[in-house]
Every structure is written in structure tokens, then in C-alpha cells.
Amino acid sequence: MTLISAAAVAIDGQICRPGWLQTAGRQILACGAGAPPRPADSNFPNSTVVPGFIDIHVHGGGGGSYADGNRHEVAKAAAFHLQHGTTTTLASLVTAAPAELAGTVRDLAEATQRGIVAGIHLEGPWLSPAQCGAHDRTQLRDPDPAEIDAVLAAGAGAIRMITLAPERHGSDAAIQRFRDAGVVVAVGHTDATYEQARHAVELGATVGTHLFNAMPPLHHRAPGPALALLADPRVTVELIADGVHVHPAAMRAVIQAAGPHRVAVVTDAIAASGCHDGAFRLGAVTIDVVSGVARVQGTSTIAGSTATMDQLFRSVVQLGSASGSDADAALAAAVQMTAATPAHALGFDSVGRLRAGLDANLVVLDRDLQVTAVMVHGTWRLGG
């Protein structure tokens, strides 16, 4: 057993100053506000302990990519993000040919079984050519029942979320098939109308993939999918809070409109995260990173990010403070959006909060909210 105390601990969504928690094996045994019941094994007098970050949309990092399922690359990317506090990773795949996609899903299913990642997110290939972003336009296609069955079989239960454009032929049946298989359906990379997006939600779609990005802009006479997703209380909206993908004022408006309980902060990071500027690949597409911003080579199209979850955590804390929230309210909202909300959206019921009975996944942040220690399943993986 390990007893941890800190200047502040985010216990079940509340900021306790000071606070403590005790782990036993891989789980949290007990936690509370105030002084610990006995001298702590690990004391962090100038730090804040928060739940491990949960990134439900990430393609790679630290020079490693999930795109081809290579064991070394997958481990490299997951280890990089772990150093930045991400204790639960959903490996995102971009559009690829059917055989290639199934093969990569099979490899990532193995990585899921080994606990390297928590599952797979298929971002495509059932996307809109008009809003394809950094996806290979030549491989975009309508959902096909046979292909869906093939990827579900290859995933062996590891596919946790898929993104599709609901206006594509066959999407209604695809949403139903994935929901029947226990897979979360997200709407994204779409040119759908407001009505088409609402219809997808009625069929069971519950996530909006990187809200505003790769979808038509909001218009007062044709509000499009963004408003349909933002306005529906059943939908969790992803937000890439790096200040590049969404203007801070728009981020603030989304958080105020939906509430932190419906906003999941995601990185959408690619292999370039943590690396110097240069040329990278995202699936079949070549990406140039200049001043930390990734774009499809030769275009102005943003291609994922170079962000990490700790960076985005600091960004949303700062955003909350700038909006007039007190320090603890801003911190609690950031905890919600980087852990509890994404956990709820994906049905990860053993993570996302610091509470007795849940997994002991936590991050220790210093006064500047920089990561100094990370615990996964009760074991210190960094610092401690």
C-alpha cells in the first residue's frame, strides 16, 4: 500500500487542499481531504494530484505512430504521452485501404491486450471528401457491412470508437451495427446538414469529433453539424484546446454552452508531438510541421497537432481563470475535461476520477502545472 499526500488533490471532482489518497495494488483504497491518517509514503507539499489524463483521440507522439500498428512505434508513442500524464490512450487510425486497415486494427488489438493502449479509434475511412482534412481522399468510401464486420472481427473487442460522416450512403446501418457491437459512434469529417447530424444522434451517435474542425462553419441559416452536436445534451464534443484548431473565444463559448461534463479535451497528436519541426507522415499523407503546427504538405490544411495532454490541461485552466473562475473552479473544470468526461464518453468506468475503488492512475503537477510524477495502476511510472 502507498499513502500519498499533497497540497491539493482532485478527489472525485472536488479540489481538496490539502488532500491524500491511499493505493492498494492497482486501485485506490481510500482518499480524503485534510491531513493523511498516518505519515505519507509520498508527500508532495507544493503539488497538485489529478486523475491520469485520458486522450480519446491521438495518432502518435515522440516520433512514434499508431498508423501502421508496428509494435515498437506503438510503444514509443504511448510511452511519450505517458511522460506527459496520459495514462489512458485510445489509439486513433486514419483512413487506409481495407486490407491495410484490418491488419493495423489486428496489431493494435494485440497492443490493447498487452495494456499499451486502452483501445482503438477508427477515424475513417467513412468520411466526407469535402471535409477529409489530412486523410487520404482516394481511400474514402461508404460504410460497407462486410468491411465493418471484418474490422470488428480484427479488433476482437478493442475498437472503442469510430468516426463517420452521417451523410454517406449506408451510414444509418453502420451506426446501428457499431452501436450493437458496443462501439461509440462519433460524427466528424463531415459535410452533413444540421438535420443529418441530428438524425445521426437520434440513431445513437454520442461524440462530436474535434468540434468545428473538418466540418462546415456555423451559419445562422444553415447551422450545420457543429450546432447539432453542441446543442444536444446526449453528445460529448471533442475540443483540441491548443489555440491553433479553435480560437480561445470559441473554446470558451463551447465550454460555457455545453459545460465541462460534455467537453472532452483531446490532442489529436501525430508522431511529430515532442519532435523538432520537419516532415512527417500521417498514414499515406505527408505532413510538414512548422513552428509546431502540422499541415498537409503544400497546403494550409491543419493535420492533427503536436500537443500533449498536460499542455492542454494548462491551457484550459488558464482559459477558465481568464473567464473569471476562481483557481479551484478552473482546476476542477480542467480535471473534468481531461479525465472524467472522456472516460464517461467511452464507458471507461474504472478511470477518470480519484475515488476509492477506481484504478490508481494519477498525475502529480507542480506549481506551474508541469508533470513531475505519474502513477499507473498503483505503480509509479515517472517520479514518485
Side-chain angles (χ1 to χ4, degrees):
M1 290 193 292
T2 300
L3 184 62
I4 300 165
S5 66
V9 183
I11 298 175
D12 207 12
Q14 300 296 314
I15 308 302
C16 299
R17 296 181 182 274
W20 61 272
L21 60 85
Q22 187 170 27
T23 68
R26 61 181 287 144
Q27 290 187 323
I28 299 170
L29 179 65
C31 49
R38 63 171 176 81
D41 301 300
S42 298
N43 184 29
F44 302 99
N46 300 306
S47 300
T48 299
V49 177
V50 301
F53 303 135
I54 299 173
D55 194 353
I56 62 173
H57 190 156
V58 52
H59 298 278
S65 173
Y66 299 126
D68 60 5
N70 176 276
R71 179 178 289 205
H72 173 73
E73 294 279 310
V74 171
K76 185 177 182 180
F80 167 77
H81 285 291
L82 180 65
Q83 299 299 302
H84 290 272
T86 299
T87 57
T88 303
T89 296
L90 201 64
S92 299
L93 294 180
V94 290
T95 296
E100 180 184 351
L101 182 65
T104 305
V105 166
R106 202 171 291 112
D107 292 337
L108 284 175
E110 181 186 343
T112 302
Q113 292 167 359
R114 299 199 320 270
I116 306 301
V117 297
I120 304 166
H121 164 215
L122 298 183
E123 190 186 19
W126 311 293
L127 311 176
S128 165
Q131 300 289 346
C132 65
H135 289 255
D136 182 358
R137 183 188 299 268
T138 67
Q139 292 296 338
L140 298 177
R141 49 195 182 269
D142 290 333
D144 173 71
E147 182 181 14
I148 290 172
D149 287 345
V151 295
L152 286 172
I159 298 174
R160 301 301 297 260
M161 182 168 73
I162 66 99
T163 295
L164 55 70
E167 69 274 19
R168 293 208 72 127
H169 178 73
S171 290
D172 284 10
I175 292 171
Q176 187 64 58
R177 177 69 182 94
F178 282 118
R179 296 300 295 138
D180 288 346
V183 177
V184 172
V185 175
V187 172
H189 284 277
T190 176
D191 209 32
T193 64
Y194 175 83
E195 291 75 18
Q196 287 170 324
R198 280 184 55 84
H199 178 65
V201 174
E202 291 298 331
L203 290 175
T206 56
V207 172
T209 295
H210 45 48
L211 190 70
F212 299 130
N213 291 277
M215 59 183 65
L218 184 65
H219 188 280
H220 59 288
R221 286 192 295 272
L227 185 60
L229 297 167
L230 183 58
D232 197 303
R234 295 169 291 184
V235 177
T236 298
V237 293
E238 293 181 353
L239 202 58
I240 308 173
D242 61 352
V244 174
H245 285 77
V246 183
H247 190 281
M251 286 194 286
R252 187 179 300 113
V254 168
I255 296 168
Q256 289 174 344
H261 68 289
R262 286 187 50 222
V263 176
V265 168
V266 300
T267 62
D268 196 15
I270 63 172
S273 180
C275 301
H276 296 297
D277 287 358
F280 296 84
R281 294 193 71 79
L282 182 58
V285 178
T286 303
I287 309 298
D288 283 336
V289 177
V290 179
S291 300
V293 178
R295 300 183 189 277
V296 175
Q297 189 173 68
T299 76
S300 61
T301 301
I302 298 175
S305 86
T306 59
T308 55
M309 284 297 286
D310 60 328
Q311 172 193 336
L312 302 187
F313 183 90
R314 292 189 291 273
S315 294
V316 291
V317 168
Q318 183 178 20
L319 191 68
S321 297
S323 301
S325 298
D326 64 44
D328 282 0
L331 193 62
V335 168
Q336 177 73 36
M337 292 184 285
T338 57
T341 297
H344 177 74
L346 270 294
F348 293 145
D349 54 11
S350 65
V351 294
R353 292 183 180 273
L354 300 182
R355 184 170 66 199
L358 301 191
D359 285 356
N361 290 1
L362 58 87
V363 180
V364 181
L365 304 169
D366 66 15
R367 287 176 173 173
D368 297 321
L369 302 181
Q370 300 286 336
V371 175
T372 61
V374 179
M375 175 180 279
V376 182
H377 301 322
T379 299
W380 291 111
R381 299 289 297 277
L382 173 71

